[in-house]
């Protein structure tokens, strides 16, 4: 790839502070990115890492106030001056935004959107469009030149946004949470592009909570929490032998490093009638088959995962097994122990799974009345998930996502279910919160002997929780994989 | 973007602190008008009593809004007109609301042919302006109150139907209702905990707007002389009748215009959420 | 989509016809008498003339025959003759339609220019002076019914300042007041929608990204903001078609503008049923046509699969 990056200068930020009212969101010092090196900031949501990125770029929302300076070579910029860096945008510094699908104008074909970023762009001039086509072809998007954004997959939209952000030849590339909503293959592909930018002598600042991506990019790593930097150093050192206890906790929260008692509890091997029996079911979305002629049985206590790339139909298969979605062909039968509210589901966004304007406790009381559950069981469940009783007086929008998902677990467990279907139930949670939530769920699952059906795009999570998997390839083929009698032990999947 | 950057309640819009004040003021204004509309006709003299010798008499302490071209008490006529507007509008809105909401929930819940039939009917109604329906229906019996009531209710139900149907379909298709189904909580739970709390603010807004539409439609029909007929005291009629005397007896015009404006502003201020159109 | 609109047009035609028919069926007093009066004047009419009218118009047939005959005529585009002027209804309606289209077109252009400008300016600084003034203006316009607005404008521009003719139809100046009345009413609602749409688009991720790509402000506005705001505004214009037609009826009556609304109100007053039916029908079909144009415009502006609920 021929790249004409502006003469390499290092970027130095002696100090950067961002405030919202009286709250300090970011307070970091001595930030430095060397040409040809990557700097990655890791941390959980709310740590201030994205705010820092936007403060450097000059794209903070008006209610946030920044202080500090940014130095590129001999040039100095005041972070408080929003307009001062605008002439650098696209040419010297570029931003690859979060959620590329939203960063593309829905009403414009992608080649025009990419061309806009080129330094030679003029309305109705062909040269920028030619350049845009070149870049899109290079990224394997030749077929998508004239597509509208809504027809692109998440990974394709990400690459289009990458082309648009880098076509102007900016040396500094700031990347904000690039792996959000992408499956493993798409993240790998993006990591390759980012690494190429660094190799070409560029400066790369990546904001992410994805430790795998941080390892792949190498260079320097900063760990942020509550507006400040807790630890910094070379990526391979910080991400394997951390010094700060918080970093250690963060690393231990990766599914591949989990060690929980329930991971070694064997599944019951009763030969009872199946809870759910699917017989040669097929379903297509438009012309694209999701699964075809698939047969499977889930028995009491078994732990199943449905894995595959995004858009492969994982959730649809799970819903079909619970008979929430119809199938095109085939039958799904439920055993006698699965009737009367004994199949439960946990949702990706727990906020949508509760009535929005009703206090949580009111909804739970309806469940308890319907299923004759006594107060003591609710109390013990709340204690297990580690939530105070007061939380039930709040509405769904007044508790955090992690807390709400734990209340959803309580709700699902109240009618003593035979099977719980967890549909990407922890994919929106931070690593540490995910670890805590999964532990809660699995402890309950193992204690009550109910079966688990897990839909996830995270292979590490699937391997840690389950021993049987349906793997969808996105092209209508499904493969049933059964590992040993027990879930994979930690360490083996790294 | 700003929402993902800063996840704090501190970013809640500033306007929320001012909104309740507006609503309280609107409610107070409506209460005052309602009291005037209820007690006025009981306490004040007969609005139809003519006294041609007191033709266009200017306001005095005993007669604060003066007298009109037939020497009738403007204040008394105004009280009757306000009562008529409020009662008739409320009746129309209540009818349209009950009819439209029931049909909307039925369509969203049942789907299939019920939905198809109800939607086909609503499509036809949606393209016919309320005023046209009222105009046609009130032509059935010119000056008749029931025709005006029927026309306004008939013209407005479709608005409730469309909004309620769209919103209910969204709510009924949500994960929350799916979860309630898996928990076997039943239809009563869905209506009580999911549909009703979600629809209530929407219906409040629609009803406030509906009151405005009804009151304005009534006065407009009176104005184009195809609604209620003289000598009935009605706001639109009062405005029409007073128009020729606007420079010799401005009190005659200002009184009904003021009440009309106050009524609409108060109902607009009562809306709980933003514009739904 | 076009099939859906066609279906809607048929539904509308049926609804209006049945309503009109009910009107005739329930006419208070003797319709024939009143029609005869309309034709010859109250002083000259007698029972004989009324009977003649009754027989001529077939008003003595059973109700279902009249309805059937009507629908049959409708299919053949035969609206009959005006009971009052005896001219063919189709000709009269054609004449009035031109007047209504002139007025509605002028008002719509005025409303989009006024409302669009105010909304866009208000969105530049939310909470600023322009924004507050626009909000107050929108609420004010909303609370004043068109007829009252028209009266105020007549008082101000015609009676007090003597700038413009108040009533009439013909010279170029006579369209100003009615168009201004109708346009001002619509502009408030358009300003509100435009403000919210522009504000939302300006804060969107794709506008921010367009900026950080290095695109100059005016190109960001022209290439991204305007088009995406239009995607919100245009379907809204379809919804406003109903408001526009309602306004037409009132404003035409107020200013004696020779259009469908004026004709409709007169027809109601004089019980001129063929004209009543035809004008009501054309007004309703006008709304369906506006919505069809809006559908096509949205299709052209926004390539995304259409959300059905947004349709009017």
């Amino acid at each position: 790839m021929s790249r004409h990056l502006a003469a390499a200068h290092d970027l130095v930020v002696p100090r950067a502070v961002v405030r919202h009212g009286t709250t300090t969101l970011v307070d970091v010092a001595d930030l430095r990115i060397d040409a040809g090196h990557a700097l990655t900031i890791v941390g959980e949501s709310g740590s201030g890492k994205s705010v820092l990125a936007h403060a450097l770029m000059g794209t903070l929302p008006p209610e946030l106030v920044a202080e500090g300076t940014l130095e590129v070579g001999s040039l100095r910029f005041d972070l408080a001056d929003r307009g001062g860096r605008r002439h650098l945008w696209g040419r010297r510094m570029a931003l690859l935004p979060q959620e590329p699908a939203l960063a593309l104008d829905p009403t414009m074909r992608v080649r025009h959107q990419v061309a806009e970023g080129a330094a030679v762009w003029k309305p109705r001039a062909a040269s920028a469009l030619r350049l845009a086509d070149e870049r899109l072809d290079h990224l394997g998007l030749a077929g998508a030149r004239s597509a509208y954004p809504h027809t692109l997959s998440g990974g394709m939209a990400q690459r289009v946004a990458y082309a648009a952000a880098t076509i102007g030849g900016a040396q500094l590339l700031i990347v904000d949470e690039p792996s959000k909503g992408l499956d493993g293959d798409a993240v790998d592909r993006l990591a390759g592009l980012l690494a190429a930018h660094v190799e070409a002598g560029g400066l790369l600042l990546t904001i992410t909570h994805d430790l795998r991506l941080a390892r792949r990019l190498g260079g320097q790593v900063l760990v942020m929490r509550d507006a400040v930097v807790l630890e910094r150093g070379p990526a391979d050192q910080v991400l394997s032998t951390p010094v700060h206890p918080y970093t250690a906790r963060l690393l231990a929260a990766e599914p591949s490093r989990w060690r929980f008692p329930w991971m070694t509890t064997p599944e019951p091997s009763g030969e009872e009638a199946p809870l759910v029996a699917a017989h040669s079911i097929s379903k297509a979305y438009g012309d694209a088959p999701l699964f075809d002629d698939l047969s499977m049985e889930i028995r009491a206590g078994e732990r199943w995962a449905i894995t595959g790339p995004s858009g492969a139909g994982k959730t649809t298969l799970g819903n079909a097994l619970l008979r929430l979605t119809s199938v095109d062909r085939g039958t799904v039968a439920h055993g006698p122990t699965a009737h009367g509210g004994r199949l439960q589901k946990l949702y990706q966004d727990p906020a949508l799974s509760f009535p929005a304007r009703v206090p949580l406790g009111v909804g739970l009381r309806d469940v308890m009345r319907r299923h004759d559950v006594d107060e003591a069981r609710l109390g013990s469940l709340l204690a297990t998930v580690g939530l105070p009783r007061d939380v039930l007086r709040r509405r769904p929008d007044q508790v955090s996502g992690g807390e709400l998902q734990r209340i959803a677990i309580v709700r699902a467990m109240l009618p003593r279910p035979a099977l719980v279907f967890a549909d990407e139930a922890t994919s929106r949670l931070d690593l540490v919160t995910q670890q805590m939530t999964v532990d809660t769920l699995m402890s309950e699952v193992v204690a009550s002997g109910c079966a688990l059906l897990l839909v996830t795009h995270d292979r590490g999570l699937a391997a840690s929780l389950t021993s049987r998997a349906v793997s969808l390839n996105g092209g209508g083929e499904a493969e049933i994989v059964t590992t040993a009698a027990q879930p994979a032990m930690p360490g083996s999947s790294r | 973007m700003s929402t993902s950057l800063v996840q704090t309640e501190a970013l809640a819009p500033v306007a929320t602190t001012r909104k309740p004040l507006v609503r309280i003021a609107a409610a107070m204004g409506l209460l005052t008008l309602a009291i005037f509309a209820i007690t006025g006709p009981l306490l004040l003299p007969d609005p139809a009593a003519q006294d041609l010798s007191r033709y266009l008499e200017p306001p005095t302490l005993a007669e604060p809004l003066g007298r009109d071209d037939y020497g009738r008490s403007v204040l008394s006529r105004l009280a009757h007109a306000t009562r008529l507007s409020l009662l008739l509008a409320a009746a129309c809105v209540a009818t349209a609301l009950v009819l439209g909401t029931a049909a909307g929930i039925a369509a969203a819940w049942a789907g299939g042919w019920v939905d198809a039939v109800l939607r086909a009917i609503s499509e036809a109604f949606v393209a016919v302006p309320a005023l046209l329906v009222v105009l046609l229906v009130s032509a059935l019996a010119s000056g008749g109150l029931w025709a005006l009531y029927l026309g306004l209710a008939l013209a407005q139900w479709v608005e409730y139907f469309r909004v309620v149907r769209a919103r209910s379909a969204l709510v009924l298709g949500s994960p929350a209702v799916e979860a309630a189904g898996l928990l076997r909580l039943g239809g009563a739970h869905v209506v009580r905990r999911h549909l009703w709390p979600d629809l209530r603010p929407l219906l409040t807004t629609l009803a406030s707007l509906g009151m405005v539409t009804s009151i304005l439609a009534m006065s407009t029909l009176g104005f184009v002389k195809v609604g209620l007929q003289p000598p009935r005291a009605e706001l639109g009629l009062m405005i029409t009748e007073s128009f020729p005397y606007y420079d010799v007896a401005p009190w005659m015009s200002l009184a009904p215009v003021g009440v009309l404006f106050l009524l609409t502003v108060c109902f607009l201020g009562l809306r709980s959420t933003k514009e739904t159109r | 989509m076009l099939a859906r609109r066609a279906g809607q047009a048929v539904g509308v035609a049926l609804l209006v016809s049945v309503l009109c028919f009910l009107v005739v069926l329930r006419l208070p007093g003797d319709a024939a008498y009143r029609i005869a009066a309309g034709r010859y004047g109250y002083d000259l009419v007698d029972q004989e003339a009324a009977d003649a009218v009754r027989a001529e118009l077939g008003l003595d047939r059973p109700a279902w025959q009249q309805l059937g005959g009507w629908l049959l005529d409708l299919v053949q585009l035969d609206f009959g003759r005006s009971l009052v002027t005896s001219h063919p209804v189709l000709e009269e309606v054609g004449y009035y339609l031109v007047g209504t289209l002139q007025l509605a077109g002028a008002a719509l252009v005025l409303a989009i220019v006024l409302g669009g400008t105010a909304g866009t300016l208000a969105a530049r600084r939310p909470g600023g002076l322009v924004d507050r003034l626009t909000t107050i203006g929108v609420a004010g316009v909303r609370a004043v019914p068109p007829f009252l607005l028209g009266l105020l404008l007549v008082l101000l521009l015609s009676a007090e300042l003597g700038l413009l003719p108040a009533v009439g139809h013909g010279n170029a100046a006579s369209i100003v007041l009615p168009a201004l009345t109708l346009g001002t009413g619509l502009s408030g609602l358009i300003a509100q929608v435009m403000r919210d749409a522009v504000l939302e688009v300006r804060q969107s991720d794709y506008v921010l990204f367009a900026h950080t790509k290095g695109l100059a402000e005016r190109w960001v506005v022209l290439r991204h903001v305007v088009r995406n705001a239009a995607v919100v505004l245009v379907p809204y214009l379809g919804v406003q078609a109903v408001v526009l037609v309602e306004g037409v009826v009132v404003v035409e009556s107020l200013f004696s503008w020779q259009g469908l609304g004026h004709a409709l109100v007169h027809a109601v007053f004089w019980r001129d049923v063929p004209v009543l039916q035809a004008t009501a029908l054309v007004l309703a079909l006008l709304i369906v046509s506006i919505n069809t144009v809006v559908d096509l415009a949205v299709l052209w502006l926004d390539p995304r699969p259409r959300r059905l609920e947004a349709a009017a």
Side-chain angles (χ1 to χ4, degrees), chain B residues 76-91:
Chain B
S76 180
R77 281 175 60 76
L78 198 62
H80 277 267
T82 311
R83 184 178 69 173
L84 177 73
S85 283
L86 279 175
L87 280 183
L88 197 57

PDB file of all heavy atoms in Angstrom, chain B residues 76-91:
ATOM      1  N   SER B  76     -72.310  36.913  29.860  1.00  0.00           N
ATOM      2  CA  SER B  76     -73.196  35.770  30.008  1.00  0.00           C
ATOM      3  C   SER B  76     -73.111  34.862  28.783  1.00  0.00           C
ATOM      4  O   SER B  76     -73.027  33.642  28.892  1.00  0.00           O
ATOM      5  CB  SER B  76     -74.623  36.265  30.198  1.00  0.00           C
ATOM      6  OG  SER B  76     -75.488  35.178  30.330  1.00  0.00           O
ATOM      7  N   ARG B  77     -73.102  35.506  27.616  1.00  0.00           N
ATOM      8  CA  ARG B  77     -72.984  34.714  26.387  1.00  0.00           C
ATOM      9  C   ARG B  77     -71.658  33.954  26.359  1.00  0.00           C
ATOM     10  O   ARG B  77     -71.586  32.800  25.924  1.00  0.00           O
ATOM     11  CB  ARG B  77     -73.097  35.627  25.159  1.00  0.00           C
ATOM     12  CG  ARG B  77     -74.540  36.010  24.837  1.00  0.00           C
ATOM     13  CD  ARG B  77     -74.637  37.008  23.709  1.00  0.00           C
ATOM     14  NE  ARG B  77     -74.083  36.555  22.437  1.00  0.00           N
ATOM     15  CZ  ARG B  77     -74.689  35.675  21.620  1.00  0.00           C
ATOM     16  NH1 ARG B  77     -75.845  35.165  21.980  1.00  0.00           N
ATOM     17  NH2 ARG B  77     -74.133  35.331  20.494  1.00  0.00           N
ATOM     18  N   LEU B  78     -70.615  34.609  26.839  1.00  0.00           N
ATOM     19  CA  LEU B  78     -69.290  34.004  26.848  1.00  0.00           C
ATOM     20  C   LEU B  78     -69.271  32.763  27.751  1.00  0.00           C
ATOM     21  O   LEU B  78     -68.684  31.732  27.403  1.00  0.00           O
ATOM     22  CB  LEU B  78     -68.269  35.035  27.346  1.00  0.00           C
ATOM     23  CG  LEU B  78     -66.819  34.732  27.029  1.00  0.00           C
ATOM     24  CD1 LEU B  78     -66.599  34.691  25.530  1.00  0.00           C
ATOM     25  CD2 LEU B  78     -65.911  35.769  27.659  1.00  0.00           C
ATOM     26  N   ALA B  79     -69.917  32.879  28.917  1.00  0.00           N
ATOM     27  CA  ALA B  79     -69.939  31.744  29.837  1.00  0.00           C
ATOM     28  C   ALA B  79     -70.638  30.558  29.188  1.00  0.00           C
ATOM     29  O   ALA B  79     -70.147  29.416  29.248  1.00  0.00           O
ATOM     30  CB  ALA B  79     -70.636  32.134  31.131  1.00  0.00           C
ATOM     31  N   HIS B  80     -71.759  30.823  28.533  1.00  0.00           N
ATOM     32  CA  HIS B  80     -72.482  29.736  27.866  1.00  0.00           C
ATOM     33  C   HIS B  80     -71.649  29.130  26.745  1.00  0.00           C
ATOM     34  O   HIS B  80     -71.604  27.914  26.575  1.00  0.00           O
ATOM     35  CB  HIS B  80     -73.823  30.262  27.325  1.00  0.00           C
ATOM     36  CG  HIS B  80     -74.890  30.292  28.359  1.00  0.00           C
ATOM     37  ND1 HIS B  80     -75.770  29.252  28.555  1.00  0.00           N
ATOM     38  CD2 HIS B  80     -75.201  31.225  29.294  1.00  0.00           C
ATOM     39  CE1 HIS B  80     -76.586  29.544  29.548  1.00  0.00           C
ATOM     40  NE2 HIS B  80     -76.262  30.742  30.018  1.00  0.00           N
ATOM     41  N   ALA B  81     -70.975  30.008  25.978  1.00  0.00           N
ATOM     42  CA  ALA B  81     -70.178  29.533  24.857  1.00  0.00           C
ATOM     43  C   ALA B  81     -69.019  28.665  25.354  1.00  0.00           C
ATOM     44  O   ALA B  81     -68.710  27.618  24.776  1.00  0.00           O
ATOM     45  CB  ALA B  81     -69.643  30.716  24.059  1.00  0.00           C
ATOM     46  N   THR B  82     -68.378  29.096  26.449  1.00  0.00           N
ATOM     47  CA  THR B  82     -67.254  28.335  26.987  1.00  0.00           C
ATOM     48  C   THR B  82     -67.727  26.963  27.459  1.00  0.00           C
ATOM     49  O   THR B  82     -67.084  25.938  27.195  1.00  0.00           O
ATOM     50  CB  THR B  82     -66.614  29.101  28.168  1.00  0.00           C
ATOM     51  OG1 THR B  82     -66.400  30.441  27.776  1.00  0.00           O
ATOM     52  CG2 THR B  82     -65.301  28.473  28.567  1.00  0.00           C
ATOM     53  N   ARG B  83     -68.872  26.947  28.142  1.00  0.00           N
ATOM     54  CA  ARG B  83     -69.399  25.682  28.623  1.00  0.00           C
ATOM     55  C   ARG B  83     -69.687  24.749  27.446  1.00  0.00           C
ATOM     56  O   ARG B  83     -69.300  23.582  27.468  1.00  0.00           O
ATOM     57  CB  ARG B  83     -70.685  25.919  29.427  1.00  0.00           C
ATOM     58  CG  ARG B  83     -71.221  24.643  30.038  1.00  0.00           C
ATOM     59  CD  ARG B  83     -72.439  24.899  30.857  1.00  0.00           C
ATOM     60  NE  ARG B  83     -73.585  25.281  30.040  1.00  0.00           N
ATOM     61  CZ  ARG B  83     -74.822  25.429  30.522  1.00  0.00           C
ATOM     62  NH1 ARG B  83     -75.041  25.278  31.818  1.00  0.00           N
ATOM     63  NH2 ARG B  83     -75.815  25.756  29.742  1.00  0.00           N
ATOM     64  N   LEU B  84     -70.294  25.297  26.425  1.00  0.00           N
ATOM     65  CA  LEU B  84     -70.626  24.497  25.252  1.00  0.00           C
ATOM     66  C   LEU B  84     -69.348  23.912  24.630  1.00  0.00           C
ATOM     67  O   LEU B  84     -69.263  22.710  24.354  1.00  0.00           O
ATOM     68  CB  LEU B  84     -71.360  25.366  24.227  1.00  0.00           C
ATOM     69  CG  LEU B  84     -71.716  24.676  22.918  1.00  0.00           C
ATOM     70  CD1 LEU B  84     -72.860  23.707  23.158  1.00  0.00           C
ATOM     71  CD2 LEU B  84     -72.098  25.692  21.858  1.00  0.00           C
ATOM     72  N   SER B  85     -68.341  24.761  24.432  1.00  0.00           N
ATOM     73  CA  SER B  85     -67.098  24.310  23.806  1.00  0.00           C
ATOM     74  C   SER B  85     -66.461  23.194  24.617  1.00  0.00           C
ATOM     75  O   SER B  85     -66.067  22.157  24.085  1.00  0.00           O
ATOM     76  CB  SER B  85     -66.106  25.468  23.689  1.00  0.00           C
ATOM     77  OG  SER B  85     -66.473  26.292  22.620  1.00  0.00           O
ATOM     78  N   LEU B  86     -66.344  23.419  25.932  1.00  0.00           N
ATOM     79  CA  LEU B  86     -65.658  22.440  26.776  1.00  0.00           C
ATOM     80  C   LEU B  86     -66.419  21.120  26.809  1.00  0.00           C
ATOM     81  O   LEU B  86     -65.825  20.048  26.641  1.00  0.00           O
ATOM     82  CB  LEU B  86     -65.503  22.991  28.197  1.00  0.00           C
ATOM     83  CG  LEU B  86     -64.342  23.962  28.397  1.00  0.00           C
ATOM     84  CD1 LEU B  86     -64.368  24.526  29.809  1.00  0.00           C
ATOM     85  CD2 LEU B  86     -63.013  23.270  28.138  1.00  0.00           C
ATOM     86  N   LEU B  87     -67.726  21.185  27.001  1.00  0.00           N
ATOM     87  CA  LEU B  87     -68.510  19.952  27.125  1.00  0.00           C
ATOM     88  C   LEU B  87     -68.496  19.157  25.826  1.00  0.00           C
ATOM     89  O   LEU B  87     -68.223  17.959  25.811  1.00  0.00           O
ATOM     90  CB  LEU B  87     -69.960  20.282  27.505  1.00  0.00           C
ATOM     91  CG  LEU B  87     -70.192  20.585  28.985  1.00  0.00           C
ATOM     92  CD1 LEU B  87     -71.677  20.818  29.245  1.00  0.00           C
ATOM     93  CD2 LEU B  87     -69.687  19.426  29.853  1.00  0.00           C
ATOM     94  N   LEU B  88     -68.767  19.857  24.730  1.00  0.00           N
ATOM     95  CA  LEU B  88     -68.848  19.162  23.453  1.00  0.00           C
ATOM     96  C   LEU B  88     -67.484  18.587  23.070  1.00  0.00           C
ATOM     97  O   LEU B  88     -67.375  17.430  22.632  1.00  0.00           O
ATOM     98  CB  LEU B  88     -69.341  20.129  22.371  1.00  0.00           C
ATOM     99  CG  LEU B  88     -69.861  19.456  21.111  1.00  0.00           C
ATOM    100  CD1 LEU B  88     -70.985  18.498  21.439  1.00  0.00           C
ATOM    101  CD2 LEU B  88     -70.331  20.500  20.116  1.00  0.00           C
ATOM    102  N   ALA B  89     -66.410  19.369  23.278  1.00  0.00           N
ATOM    103  CA  ALA B  89     -65.075  18.891  22.943  1.00  0.00           C
ATOM    104  C   ALA B  89     -64.730  17.675  23.797  1.00  0.00           C
ATOM    105  O   ALA B  89     -64.193  16.683  23.297  1.00  0.00           O
ATOM    106  CB  ALA B  89     -64.048  19.998  23.154  1.00  0.00           C
ATOM    107  N   ALA B  90     -65.057  17.734  25.092  1.00  0.00           N
ATOM    108  CA  ALA B  90     -64.739  16.615  25.981  1.00  0.00           C
ATOM    109  C   ALA B  90     -65.484  15.360  25.536  1.00  0.00           C
ATOM    110  O   ALA B  90     -64.918  14.257  25.513  1.00  0.00           O
ATOM    111  CB  ALA B  90     -65.102  16.974  27.421  1.00  0.00           C
ATOM    112  N   ALA B  91     -66.751  15.531  25.171  1.00  0.00           N
ATOM    113  CA  ALA B  91     -67.528  14.371  24.734  1.00  0.00           C
ATOM    114  C   ALA B  91     -66.919  13.762  23.471  1.00  0.00           C
ATOM    115  O   ALA B  91     -66.776  12.538  23.354  1.00  0.00           O
ATOM    116  CB  ALA B  91     -68.976  14.779  24.481  1.00  0.00           C
TER     117      ALA B  91
END
